[in-house]
Amino acid sequence: MPVLRYQEKTFPVPAGNLLEILRSEKALAEYTESIAAPCGGHGTCGKCRVGIRAPAGAVTAPGERELSLLRSVTAPLPEGYIWRLACRCEILAGTVDLWLPEKEGSLTGAQAVFSAREEGTAPWITWQQVSLARPTLADPVAVDENLRRQGIDMPMTDRAANRITALLTAAMDASPGKTEKIPLWIAHNGTQIADAGDSPVPLYAGAVDLGTTTVALSLWRDDGVRLGGTVLANPTRSCGADVISRISYAIDNEDGTERMARQMREAVDTALAGLAAEAGISPARISCRILAGNSVMEHLYAGRNPAPIGKVPFYSQSRFGGIMTGEPMTYLAPTAASYVGGDILMGAAWLLWDRPERREKTVLFLDLGTNGELGIYRDGKFIFAATAAGPAFEGAHITLGMPATPGAVTGIQKTEDGFALTAVDGKPPVGLCGSGILDGMGQMLELGLADAYGGLVDDREAWNTSLPDGLGVDAEGEQCTFAPGIYLTQGDVRQIQTARAAIAAGVEVLCRAAGVDAEQIEEVCLAGSFGHALDVRSAARVGLFPGILADRVSTVGNTSEAGCAAFWLYRAFREILDEVRRTSVYIELSAQPDFGELYMEKMCFEAE
Ligand code: FES
């Protein structure tokens, strides 16, 4: 059996594809969870880089395509190691030393932060006192039947069942043969019992935005106190950058769905346990999780194969909007369509709950994560659509693209003698995340380094600026450099261009469906991590929305996670979510006759 050696530890592994081994070997998970594989292991993105040192015959030799993808990699490696693409490297025999790029530090991203409302909370789960009959030899009534006799007929979590049983037994032991009735407290939401106790102690819930690339979560007490929050990489991104590649992984691997479900649940549970420990409470006291994600992520989290979402007619197994089977108690947000997920519905409800005055307005809601999801609110209802923008603004399929981790460029501004770059945590720039990509593209268009058709302009005379040697477009017209080692290539610009076209065409079709002109839109709400650090002028210059709307943009943060927290805490929010679910309308962009033509039109970067 071959052996992988990493940081002095050895791991016997089956012979086979290295990426597959890294994905499936549990013992290696803690080290390899941050390996990205945006193309899903098809050998086209060049992002699954690892360093290896192996004797002859221990691994397969790199092919031409792999070598060409690795040619531009200049990052240093320890002596004796070479870069390989994990998805192109087969482990054959012997001992192979592994070196992994530095594990990502904490991700940055928009998080749900809001103050508790004055009207007080009405949590989704509340305590109720019950008096259970004392089981006797003549009537050894079971716990569930005992509850039914008290008029409480609902399923319960294992934790609740075990707690009730333990409390009942303890009370019986403490007063043998005495009391007829034994009082205790159960915590439930009317449909399921989540917990039990001998007194109504505070309840806690996790609010989880399950993104395709990142997972943002926070821990909330039932009186509205936020105990902490964090953002982590979605561990299943090693199975592909976007939802389509995750669907392919679920289809191509017999246990792919279960494996991805396990990875995500473990990541969420571990992160929530960490937040609980920091707050000084036992992780066991977290009664439930309120979770929202796109439809594919919710399917996978629930252990449901999302295969039908991947092909015409794009149907799904479930629209969710209820409690997931299994432990712990988890509410999955309702979805509006296969490509308009629970994250959007939670976000839409949040917009109306957070600012009720929006009900009187025409509002454009954009969540431009790995999937482009759009909505227009007008006359009391949302019209939603999804557009295949691809993950360019998440950094995938962009040569130097990366998540918003330390060293990721979030902003690029023109200065007198070049460009000023802003990077996460003030670290030296190593790559570009979404807002940096958009800023870079905006600068290129503004300064004439790229033309309206997305072609790089390699003629210095034609630029609207002078730049020192080494910055701007190179003589071959292949890449535009903003700082040493930080650039966008012609191929990157094509990715941005198609993403831009999909979003801009989607916005226009949605406006037509809602019967509004762009100028009638009174507010543009930009959600998600992408909107978090975004320069609105760059977004407008690149053409994600009509320029006329640039001064009407509000960045609203992670509305999905905020919605999950509000769902946990406020009845009024739960009613608004239900209203959004009942009244919203979905339109399938690919079925709209004008979408194709608009898409082609919007490939042009002309300012609108
Ligand atoms: S090249 Fe290996 S995952 Fe994309």
Side-chain angles (χ1 to χ4, degrees):
M1 195 177 219
V3 169
L4 281 182
R5 187 161 54 201
Y6 178 65
Q7 290 185 343
E8 311 291 318
K9 295 192 187 121
T10 52
F11 304 90
V13 294
N17 181 274
L18 179 54
L19 181 62
E20 220 24 71
I21 292 170
L22 297 177
R23 277 168 170 166
S24 52
E25 284 302 310
K26 248 188 137 186
L28 280 161
E30 105 179 70
Y31 308 109
T32 60
E33 63 188 13
S34 60
I35 290 181
C39 73
H42 291 100
T44 56
C45 70
K47 300 259 163 135
C48 59
R49 291 189 295 267
V50 297
I52 65 161
R53 183 173 61 185
V59 297
T60 51
E64 255 316 299
R65 191 158 76 162
E66 183 181 347
L67 288 172
S68 87
L69 280 167
L70 290 171
R71 205 156 288 145
S72 59
V73 181
T74 53
L77 271 173
E79 207 181 325
Y81 285 75
I82 58 164
W83 285 114
R84 289 296 307 264
L85 295 180
C87 72
R88 301 292 97 187
C89 177
E90 300 288 319
I91 302 291
L92 303 174
T95 299
V96 176
D97 287 308
L98 188 65
W99 186 87
L100 299 170
E102 199 180 328
K103 204 172 168 185
E104 286 164 0
S106 59
L107 286 156
T108 61
Q111 277 237 264
V113 178
F114 62 90
S115 306
R117 296 251 163 144
E118 275 177 17
E119 74 256 28
T121 57
W124 185 55
I125 292 174
T126 50
W127 288 105
Q128 178 184 347
Q129 191 170 29
V130 292
S131 284
L132 294 188
R134 183 188 191 93
T136 61
L137 263 182
D139 183 18
V141 57
V143 168
D144 52 1
E145 174 58 20
N146 206 337
L147 283 161
R148 271 196 290 277
R149 289 183 192 171
Q150 307 304 311
I152 295 160
D153 189 5
M154 57 184 113
M156 55 192 134
T157 60
D158 292 345
R159 172 181 166 76
N162 292 334
R163 287 277 293 155
I164 294 170
T165 309
L167 289 165
L168 199 55
T169 306
M172 289 161 67
D173 291 347
S175 57
K178 284 192 188 145
T179 48
E180 287 297 310
K181 292 284 185 185
I182 295 174
L184 53 86
W185 292 79
I186 57 170
H188 66 85
N189 75 327
T191 58
Q192 187 171 106
I193 304 172
D195 208 345
D198 51 13
S199 60
V201 294
L203 293 164
Y204 302 89
V208 185
D209 168 46
L210 186 66
T212 310
T213 307
T214 55
V215 182
L217 42 78
S218 45
L219 182 62
W220 297 79
R221 203 165 62 197
D222 57 3
D223 58 356
V225 172
R226 180 181 185 273
L227 288 106
T230 188
V231 181
L232 53 134
N234 186 323
T236 63
R237 72 198 180 107
S238 69
C239 304
D242 50 26
V243 294
I244 298 299
S245 40
R246 307 283 166 90
I247 293 172
S248 302
Y249 188 80
I251 293 171
D252 296 344
N253 296 273
E254 207 181 328
D255 64 344
T257 301
E258 292 77 8
R259 199 188 292 173
M260 287 189 274
R262 192 183 61 239
Q263 286 176 340
M264 288 195 284
R265 290 182 199 177
E266 281 176 4
V268 166
D269 289 350
T270 305
L272 285 176
L275 293 178
E278 278 170 30
I281 61 167
S282 160
R285 296 246 38 99
I286 305 172
S287 302
C288 65
R289 286 103 170 95
I290 312 295
L291 186 143
N294 63 55
S295 190
V296 173
M297 288 308 114
E298 289 199 15
H299 271 73
L300 291 172
Y301 196 88
R304 304 283 188 87
N305 192 321
I309 300 176
K311 59 179 186 184
V312 175
F314 312 117
Y315 76 96
S316 57
Q317 280 206 38
S318 173
R319 286 284 173 83
F320 301 106
I323 297 170
M324 187 180 105
T325 47
E327 304 271 332
M329 186 164 166
T330 304
Y331 175 85
L332 291 177
T335 63
S338 291
Y339 287 99
V340 177
D343 47 355
I344 298 305
L345 261 61
M346 276 291 188
W350 166 265
L351 293 184
L352 298 181
W353 181 79
D354 185 43
R355 300 266 177 84
E357 63 272 21
R358 288 195 175 114
R359 286 184 179 274
E360 310 304 320
K361 289 182 174 179
T362 299
V363 178
L364 174 64
F365 178 31
L366 297 178
D367 190 338
L368 307 178
T370 311
N371 309 295
E373 288 156 306
L374 332 161
I376 281 192
Y377 182 77
R378 192 178 198 221
D379 295 335
K381 69 169 191 271
F382 275 96
I383 303 178
F384 291 116
T387 186
F393 295 126
E394 298 268 331
H397 306 328
I398 299 291
T399 311
L400 296 181
M402 63 183 290
T405 50
V409 173
T410 55
I412 300 177
Q413 296 305 318
K414 179 73 181 68
T415 59
E416 261 182 26
D417 53 356
F419 297 99
L421 274 54
T422 313
V424 175
D425 283 358
K427 292 272 164 60
V430 291
L432 295 148
C433 65
S435 52
I437 292 165
L438 208 50
D439 260 8
M441 190 69 239
Q443 292 294 351
M444 288 166 72
L445 292 167
E446 205 57 50
L447 303 175
L449 302 167
D451 62 27
Y453 301 99
L456 298 196
V457 176
D458 55 8
D459 175 6
R460 286 184 160 256
E461 301 295 310
W463 299 347
N464 307 326
T465 185
S466 63
L467 288 168
D469 283 349
L471 296 189
V473 179
D474 61 1
E476 291 74 37
E478 283 176 0
Q479 66 183 47
C480 178
T481 300
F482 304 101
I486 301 297
Y487 55 82
L488 286 170
T489 67
Q490 180 66 74
D492 297 338
V493 172
R494 295 298 174 217
Q495 294 284 339
I496 298 165
Q497 198 168 13
T498 50
R500 178 262 195 213
I503 293 163
V507 169
E508 189 145 342
V509 171
L510 210 51
C511 283
R512 290 180 186 179
V516 296
D517 290 330
E519 52 267 32
Q520 289 176 272
I521 293 170
E522 292 159 277
E523 186 181 9
V524 180
C525 293
L526 209 49
S529 300
F530 178 62
H532 180 58
L534 180 83
D535 183 326
V536 171
R537 283 161 309 157
S538 296
R541 181 63 193 89
V542 173
L544 298 190
F545 44 77
I548 192 174
L549 301 178
D551 59 359
R552 301 177 202 172
V553 173
S554 315
T555 51
V556 288
N558 191 328
T559 52
S560 169
E561 187 198 347
C564 289
F567 181 97
W568 160 241
L569 294 168
Y570 300 103
R571 179 174 295 115
F573 180 89
R574 295 192 288 275
E575 287 167 0
I576 293 172
L577 178 66
D578 189 49
E579 173 199 330
V580 170
R581 179 199 349 215
R582 282 185 289 101
T583 57
S584 59
V585 176
Y586 169 71
I587 58 168
E588 172 59 46
L589 287 180
S590 62
Q592 304 300 309
D594 44 357
F595 181 72
E597 199 180 313
L598 276 169
Y599 178 82
M600 294 312 295
E601 213 175 89
K602 303 287 183 188
M603 288 292 278
C604 179
F605 280 115
E606 279 303 347
E608 291 178 47

